[in-house]
Amino acid sequence: MSTKKPTQARRDAFVLSTEIEKPFDLLAHFPYRIAIVSNLLILDRDPLIRYEMDLDARSIRVLLNIGSYSPITAADVAYQSRLDPYSVTRAINDLTKRGLVKPAELSLGRAKPVMLSDEGVVLYRKLVELIEFRTEKLLAGLENDDIERLKVTLAAIEHNAETMLAEHGQVVESKGGSLTREQQEFLRWQQRSIGK
């Protein structure tokens, strides 16, 4: 895997400030760089996917999870995609109105699992094809060993981020602060990830 520093053109365009002492070098900060790449990879930012799908990023992620793991509940989609439950429910409702998602025949108590409709399966297959095309472009030049190491590294960073956000939520609550619905999910996700 290449260990090249950011391009000199980028360094030249974004010179660290001389106005404050020890400015934070964002180009050297690994979590910030991951956030930048993550932002670039949001599916509906890709013009081809946007053209072919006519769905927002949230709905695309929900559609992918339903297609890959159905029958699945909204709570499980939220956990798997790390979207808050309210956003997932809204996306499922939108996808249902579009005729892409339907209730599954399976019952899980109060939970109502969903699955793709026939039309949803067609769109899912098209989306997977586009994602696989993107994957070839994104991973061009990387060796299989590099990709496997990156997967392990990203899994560790995801776990650490989940743990950190849950711990920060506990600190805020201990100080008498309140958490948003999404922030409360961090606590549940972390408990679920460690098997509690």
Side-chain angles (χ1 to χ4, degrees):
M1 181 191 279
S2 175
T3 56
K4 292 179 185 174
K5 305 257 186 232
T7 63
Q8 190 58 45
R10 191 169 217 189
R11 282 264 177 225
D12 292 344
F14 295 99
V15 177
L16 287 175
S17 174
T18 57
E19 301 298 316
I20 61 172
E21 187 178 330
K22 296 183 184 175
F24 192 61
D25 187 353
L26 295 175
L27 291 177
H29 187 253
F30 190 63
Y32 183 80
R33 297 298 300 275
I34 290 173
I36 295 292
V37 171
S38 177
N39 194 36
L40 288 170
L41 294 178
I42 293 173
L43 292 170
D44 74 333
R45 290 191 77 187
D46 185 317
L48 185 57
I49 288 178
R50 185 68 175 213
Y51 176 77
E52 295 287 343
M53 294 295 106
D54 190 32
L55 296 172
D56 63 22
R58 175 191 65 221
S59 293
I60 290 171
R61 285 170 63 186
V62 169
L63 180 85
L64 280 170
N65 277 274
I66 293 170
S68 293
Y69 303 110
S70 69
I72 188 169
T73 65
D76 286 338
V77 171
Y79 173 72
Q80 181 64 16
S81 64
R82 300 310 198 259
L83 293 168
D84 69 273
Y86 178 71
S87 292
V88 169
T89 299
R90 283 181 47 207
I92 288 173
N93 289 340
D94 179 56
L95 293 168
T96 301
K97 285 178 190 170
R98 291 174 183 244
L100 302 171
V101 168
K102 65 182 183 178
E105 294 176 16
L106 174 72
S107 178
L108 298 174
R110 287 182 19 178
K112 299 174 185 167
V114 294
M115 59 191 289
L116 296 179
S117 66
D118 291 342
E119 188 180 338
V121 170
V122 170
L123 192 63
Y124 170 79
R125 297 253 179 255
K126 182 187 280 189
L127 180 57
V128 168
E129 185 179 306
L130 290 168
I131 289 171
E132 287 174 344
F133 175 74
R134 280 170 46 115
T135 301
E136 287 178 33
K137 300 270 186 200
L138 291 168
L139 300 181
L142 296 177
E143 299 294 327
N144 285 337
D145 288 348
D146 295 332
I147 294 167
E148 290 307 312
R149 277 193 300 273
L150 184 56
K151 286 178 184 178
V152 169
T153 301
L154 287 174
I157 291 170
E158 179 181 359
H159 171 75
N160 292 344
E162 194 174 74
T163 300
M164 176 196 66
L165 292 171
E167 289 170 353
H168 289 180
Q170 291 168 340
V171 168
V172 167
E173 286 182 328
S174 74
K175 292 182 175 187
S178 59
L179 301 177
T180 66
R181 223 179 318 197
E182 182 181 33
Q183 292 166 339
Q184 291 168 359
E185 284 303 302
F186 298 150
L187 298 173
R188 283 209 298 268
W189 292 337
Q190 202 261 342
Q191 289 172 349
R192 186 169 178 181
S193 291
I194 61 174
K196 285 189 177 179

